[in-house]
């Protein structure tokens, strides 16, 4: 009986993804669509609580972008030592440049995770990110305070997930 139950479960696991793929292709709805939602009043204008993406042609992951000098021959050369705002602006400038290399902008960002070493910099991080987004809708986001980041002197690091139509 256990063997039959496992076999049925395995068949269902294989059938569900193929049924989902079939239903999408039958509807013919292949247009890229991104929507942002806010349900809590206090979150509106600060970040999106939920971001949905349909039929993304490309997903872009930026991992651990900080104020490291990308032109340095050695790793861990931090720009704007001791200056949280300077490090944050540099990181967001770098994020914009990296996205542009892949045909995307901040408008394509779906989720941001910001790691920072001092909670007292929270307001500055929010201001910096808001400036980077300009009039674009803020994505879903999380801020995590950690005791340290990999490179000495690094005060923040940002992970970004973005999607684009192609």
């Amino acid at each position: 009986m256990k063997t039959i139950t496992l076999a049925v479960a395995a068949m269902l696991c294989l059938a569900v993804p193929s049924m989902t793929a079939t239903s999408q292709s039958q509807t013919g709805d292949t247009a890229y669509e991104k929507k942002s939602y806010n349900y809590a009043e206090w979150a509106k204008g600060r970040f999106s609580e939920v971001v949905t993406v349909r039929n993304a042609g490309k997903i872009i992951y930026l991992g651990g972008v900080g104020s490291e000098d990308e032109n340095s021959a050695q790793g861990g050369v931090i720009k704007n030592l001791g200056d949280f705002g300077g490090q944050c602006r540099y990181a967001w400038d770098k994020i914009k440049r990296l996205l542009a290399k892949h045909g995307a902008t901040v408008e394509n960002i779906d989720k941001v995770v910001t790691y920072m070493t001092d909670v007292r910099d929270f307001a500055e991080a929010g201001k910096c990110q808001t400036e980077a987004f300009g009039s674009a809708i803020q994505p879903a986001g999380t801020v995590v305070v950690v005791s340290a980041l990999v490179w000495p002197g690094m005060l923040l690091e940002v992970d970004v997930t973005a999607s684009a139509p192609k």
Side-chain angles (χ1 to χ4, degrees):
M1 185 66 168
K2 217 180 212 186
T3 305
I4 292 172
T5 305
L6 288 173
V8 170
M11 287 175 27
L12 284 174
C13 286
L14 293 173
V16 170
S18 62
M19 287 175 14
T20 303
T22 302
S23 66
Q24 282 181 342
S25 63
Q26 287 176 351
T27 65
D29 185 11
T30 59
Y32 172 80
E33 178 185 75
K34 176 179 171 179
K35 291 184 178 181
S36 297
Y37 301 90
N38 279 90
Y39 301 101
E41 199 59 41
W42 68 268
K44 292 179 180 172
R46 293 184 173 156
F47 64 94
S48 297
E49 291 178 277
V50 177
V51 175
T52 61
V53 179
R54 177 183 292 179
N55 299 320
K58 177 172 31 177
I59 304 294
I60 304 163
Y61 301 96
L62 304 182
V65 179
S67 61
E68 309 95 334
D69 184 352
E70 65 268 35
N71 297 314
S72 172
Q74 66 182 37
V77 176
I78 305 301
K79 290 190 164 233
N80 303 301
L81 276 175
D83 176 5
F84 182 87
Q87 286 192 23
C88 188
R89 285 186 296 279
Y90 189 81
W92 276 102
D93 179 62
K94 191 188 305 185
I95 288 166
K96 289 177 181 180
R97 288 184 278 123
L98 290 168
L99 289 171
K101 289 180 180 194
H102 296 276
T105 68
V106 293
E107 291 182 351
N108 297 99
I109 296 175
D110 303 319
K111 172 112 170 122
V112 172
V113 179
T114 303
Y115 301 90
M116 46 197 286
T117 59
D118 191 335
V119 72
R120 292 173 292 189
D121 292 321
F122 179 75
E124 180 72 18
K127 178 182 173 196
C128 175
Q129 181 173 314
T130 298
E131 288 171 2
F133 274 84
S135 63
I137 295 171
Q138 291 276 341
T142 300
V143 175
V144 181
V145 178
V146 297
S147 61
L149 294 163
V150 171
W151 300 115
M154 182 181 268
L155 302 175
L156 92 153
E157 194 169 320
V158 183
D159 285 348
V160 171
T161 303
S163 61
K166 46 184 157 170

